[in-house]
Amino acid sequence: MTPLAKQLAEQIMANGPLSMADYMGQCLMHPELGYYTTRDPLGTVGDFTTAPEISQMFGELIGLSLAQCWLDQGAPDRFVLLEAGPGRGTLMGDALRATKSVPGFLAAAELHLIEGSDPLRGAQKDRLDGFDPTWHIGFETVPEGPLYLIANEFFDALPVRQVERSDGGWCERRIGLKEDALSLGLNQETQMPALEHRLQDTKPQDVVEFSPVGQMLAEAIGTRIQTQGGCALIVDYGDWHSLGDTVQAVQGHEPTGLLDAPGEADLSAHVDFEALAVAAPCAHTRLTPQGVFLERLGITARAEALAQKLQGEALESHIAAHRRLTHPAEMGTLFKVLGLYPQGGTAPPGLEP
Ligand code: SAH
């Protein structure tokens, strides 16, 4: 049993079973024993790797897309440049370097980061030395003003509730105890008005997931963009509509059991993009495969330019990185991009209304 598993078992004995969202939230963000709060999980020796860690081209193109949005919106002279879940700060570092060439952009940017992990805040501080970021636990404290936001593999880390369809309602999945070990169970059937529309496209035993935290965040971001301007690029794995149990546990690049190593394995869920788009009271783009988005932003031309200076192993790994980010058999189709922008405004470059 991991130390967090022991604590969760005590909580369950005292207060009863946990929802999947409570379980996920504590596994990832428990102040002393959470997965993210105690480590930097990224990279080849960590548990998983991400697009910005694969190639600098990812952050560069995202930065330029945000900067073009800023130009399209009349280049406001002060704005909030926000990243949610910046990991090692690699994406933002690449974005800031690439946008140096956009006159006025960096001078107008106020850099803010939403990050709940101390080890990762430390890595971000080193990587973004000279840019003076302000850190936040959540969106509530991010200052007013036009908002230009990037969130890569952030929404998949937000806790989801899971419900199983019964004949006429829904039974919520709970984590309880069986012979002192954590064990998955079901609550009694209840009616859930918010899931009324899912009674049409599901059958008994189907699992539906939803993220109250993710939807509230999308609502807050969308309200800001609609009323004060800006845009958001949300990049993640998932689909327009969530169906089925997508919560996965990963440790050392290998899948592991959901309840096997609380606090020591990464937990994530596929993002239900429709729920985010519906929650955000602003315009949204079509959900676009990452490969298509990056090709439209010119990744191939950028890859060729960078290749000029490389040879041997470095060149091979650069070519492999380009393929990994864009190819349908790699991250190109599994990962998707949703843009949020003001109604009546121009969609962020790389995306369509
Ligand atoms: N965007 C980065 C890292 C992705 S990992 C990249 O692409 O490499 C998820 C990131 O979100 C980490 O930085 C993690 O610490 C942060 N995070 C996850 N859940 C969070 C939460 N509830 N509050 C604040 N930060 C969170």
Side-chain angles (χ1 to χ4, degrees), residues 28-29 36-37 41-42 48-53 58 83-88 90-91 114-117 120 124 136-138 151-154 156-159 213:
L28 294 178
M29 283 293 164
Y36 280 116
T37 36
L42 293 156
F48 61 94
T49 194
T50 55
E53 300 299 329
F58 188 77
E83 181 165 3
R88 291 179 171 167
T90 309
L91 190 164
I114 295 180
E115 178 55 72
S117 158
L120 287 174
Q124 292 153 21
H136 304 265
I137 293 289
N152 184 58
E153 288 207 44
F154 175 73
D156 68 70
L158 299 181
V213 179

Side-chain angles (χ1 to χ4, degrees), residues 257-327:
L258 172 72
L259 304 176
D260 287 354
E264 290 171 16
D266 180 42
L267 296 183
S268 65
H270 284 203
V271 173
D272 181 2
F273 283 98
E274 182 188 35
L276 302 183
V278 168
C282 61
H284 67 83
T285 66
R286 286 192 207 179
L287 189 61
T288 304
Q290 172 174 298
V292 172
F293 171 70
L294 294 174
E295 289 299 349
R296 285 181 184 154
L297 293 177
I299 194 170
T300 298
R302 180 67 183 137
E304 282 165 3
L306 286 170
Q308 299 293 316
K309 292 176 228 141
L310 299 172
Q311 40 183 288
E313 243 175 65
L315 179 59
E316 269 167 40
S317 96
H318 169 64
I319 292 168
H322 176 207
R323 183 187 148 90
R324 205 161 158 203
L325 292 181
T326 56
H327 197 276

Side-chain angles (χ1 to χ4, degrees), residues 123-145:
Q124 292 153 21
K125 189 167 189 290
D126 294 344
R127 187 70 175 72
L128 302 172
D129 191 30
F131 288 99
D132 201 18
T134 306
W135 280 271
H136 304 265
I137 293 289
F139 184 70
E140 304 71 32
T141 52
V142 173
E144 300 289 310

Side-chain angles (χ1 to χ4, degrees), residues 226-237:
Q226 183 58 30
T227 56
Q228 300 186 39
C231 71
L233 296 173
I234 299 172
V235 188
D236 228 307
Y237 41 89

